[in-house]
Amino acid sequence: MEPKTFFRLIFLIVTACFIISFTSTNFPLAPSSTTGLLDCTDPSSSPLCASRNFLFNKQKPSFSKQDPKPKPKNHDHLSDIPKHPLDPLTVMEFNKVRSLLSSHALFSSGAPHAFHSIVLEEPEKNLVRNWKRGSPLPPRKASVIARVGSDTHVLTVDLFSGRVDIVDSPVPVSGYPMMTLEEMNDVTFAPFSNADVNRTIVARGVNLTDVYCFPLSSGWYGKKEENRRVIKSQCYSSQGTANFYMRPIEGLTILIDLDTKQVIEIVDTGPNIPIPGSTNTEYRFKNLATTDKTRGLNPISIEQPRGPSFVIEDNHLVKWANWEFHLKPDPRAGVVLSQVRVHDPDTQETREVMYQGFVSELFVPYMDPSDAWYFKTYMDAGEYGFGLQAMPLVPLNDCPRNAAYMDGVFTAVDGTPFVRENMVCIFERYAGDIGWRHSESPISGLPIKEVRPKVTLVVRMAASVGNYDYIIDYEFQTDGLIKAKVGLSGILMVKGTSYQNKNQVSKDKEGNEEELHGTLLAENIIGVIHDHYVTFYLDLDVDGPDNSFVKVNLKRQETEPGESPRKSYMKAVKNIVKTEKDAQIKLSLYDPSEFHVVNSAKTTRVGNPTGYKIVPRATAASLLDHDDPPQKRGAFTNNQIWVTPYNKSEKWAAGLFTYQSHGDDTLAVWSDRDGDIENKDIVVWYTLGFHHVPCQEDFPIMPTVSSSFDLKPANFFERNPILRAAPNFEHDLPVCEVKYGSA
């Protein structure tokens, strides 16, 4: 075997789990000749299969006594048929799309082509809203984003008539579609085909067999990124550790043509920077010595003797307590909630709350301007595919014992479908929280002690976008509140340094330390400062689509002389926001406001318009200059709240084509059109932000940090909607013996 071929095969082994995440539990797949699913019995069927089979044919999965065992799957995706207008494409539909496209002139000419996205072309909103369960479905269509040669094309495929229509050809705006899993895989070993790269790595004293190289989106800064798709790659040593992220080959950056997979440029600014050691970088349980036995926790499990209270009908319709909604996995957004409705206990109506909600984009800029770092300003949804990077959830640890799971069905670069198992979990949660309570004071003489437990329903997914792990929760409460929560975990992206201790950091004459752009976490390792912004698309339809956005300003009012012993009080001033620019909201602790979406055509018994309010929690705002190239592309983070008129084509805050975009088709651009938003079908965009200044507790792997925001009823119900909720009784619960004292 040629040495170069050997190294490439070795590298495929060590990178397969990261890049081809769906291999974790999705084997074996049946042959495509009989099922239409991705067939990896023949490695030539897809570039994905080469790495997949090389790894897993050598070693079949096994579980130790400590490993949670996934529940057996009995869902046959091959027989799925859509039951709802928003159901994702089925395996049969994917295969029909692939067959129809294969005979289309654009793809049958022999020119190289790739399918970057094949998803449901959702019907018009009014058709979906007026559709009744059991009625015929609106025409099913697929939306296709493909590249042929150097051009990007958008097409629709009518699954009933077989007609293929070209929507945009070629696409007129800047930017490219999100990367495919196959090309991400190819780029991981592309550097090893270049002799200069190999020599540079070997010169650092690293064995090529110990090296991982990762695809890092390049952003857009000018001529180097013009008129060609490029990507950058940086490398790590895995010698002595599975946590290779902690052993960067600092300063080595490889520019690669994403279409040809050829190395364009090699920049090495760090030959004198040592590669950090592997000491204390391990994080796997089986390899960690557990010496502090006294600090262990006894297992906790939520048991439901009568089974779960929720049902999933027709594969995607979730019903629980007073809620119902449509749920589907998505390769870009991760999870999409649609037609969210809540039951009103007083009117017995099931009322509209939100037509659709999902993660629209994730923007992650790092704060080091050096050659090896300035470009690290990732768009995790539009560049990598947030759903494509979703990991199979681990029972008992990602999700509790009482969880149900939902698979995603996506397509490979050639249009062949594959299954991402256990991508989403749904479960009921009770953490001892209180729904409402009141105990009467003894002085009243009333022996009242009324308490109701708070049980919620959680929809969860987790995506591992390279080193970082994101956990997305949508939590439904019986009082009508929806909480959207983002958790951050995983492994820091770190920078190699010659410093082993803070006392080595140089200082100027004034005593100011050298700018490290981060925190020294361990010997030769700097955790670089960075931000995370998660922008949510929230198409709220409160009692119908025609809504208004109301800003409720909380202001100090001075009392008149002689009016009161008080000198001031706070008042609420409600203003209906008329246009998009007026709805560009920067949150301020010292200019507090509430933000309501109301239906002025429907009022409560006492005359208040029904509504929901967006309740921000801990968040962060971008400090980057608005003219900084990454912030131009991430301009949707310039405000925490935006409101735009509903437009079916405007769902992605960074634009449909995000990769190397110039920022000319973003939420900020749409909002500046300043359209009318009063009594219109409107969309609220909310950005949840995190500033992350790393600390030593983030090494070698980060404890989860999280933040959230709420969608809360505001005069939506006539009164407390869980007034009639039942308390818990001892006879309803299993009898468990409780032991107190030392473990």
Side-chain angles (χ1 to χ4, degrees), residues 125-141:
K125 182 176 176 179
N126 65 318
L127 291 177
V128 178
R129 290 186 67 250
N130 293 326
W131 177 83
K132 303 297 182 185
R133 195 175 182 191
S135 303
L137 294 178
R140 297 276 290 177
K141 295 182 180 181

Side-chain angles (χ1 to χ4, degrees), residues 661-672:
S661 67
H662 301 179
D664 53 359
D665 183 35
T666 68
L667 169 59
V669 173
W670 311 333
S671 176
D672 280 345

Side-chain angles (χ1 to χ4, degrees), residues 565-621:
R566 293 276 298 273
K567 291 184 177 294
S568 63
Y569 61 93
M570 184 180 72
K571 67 177 183 178
V573 180
K574 297 182 179 181
N575 295 294
I576 296 178
V577 180
K578 306 291 186 181
T579 67
E580 292 177 84
K581 283 190 176 180
D582 288 338
Q584 296 176 359
I585 306 294
K586 289 180 171 65
L587 299 177
S588 172
L589 190 64
Y590 291 97
D591 182 19
S593 297
E594 289 192 353
F595 310 99
H596 294 213
V597 174
V598 304
N599 188 329
S600 58
K602 184 167 182 179
T603 59
T604 63
R605 187 179 67 254
V606 297
N608 292 312
T610 61
Y612 260 72
K613 63 182 177 181
I614 296 92
V615 183
R617 303 295 183 190
T619 189

Side-chain angles (χ1 to χ4, degrees), residues 296-307:
L297 298 176
N298 291 328
I300 297 175
S301 180
I302 303 299
E303 308 298 335
Q304 296 182 284
R306 300 177 188 173

Side-chain angles (χ1 to χ4, degrees), residues 147-160:
R147 279 179 54 80
V148 181
S150 59
D151 291 329
T152 302
H153 308 268
V154 180
L155 310 93
T156 58
V157 178
D158 189 311
L159 288 159
F160 177 74

Side-chain angles (χ1 to χ4, degrees), residues 372 452 638 683 708:
R452 303 294 185 268
N638 289 345
V683 175
S708 64

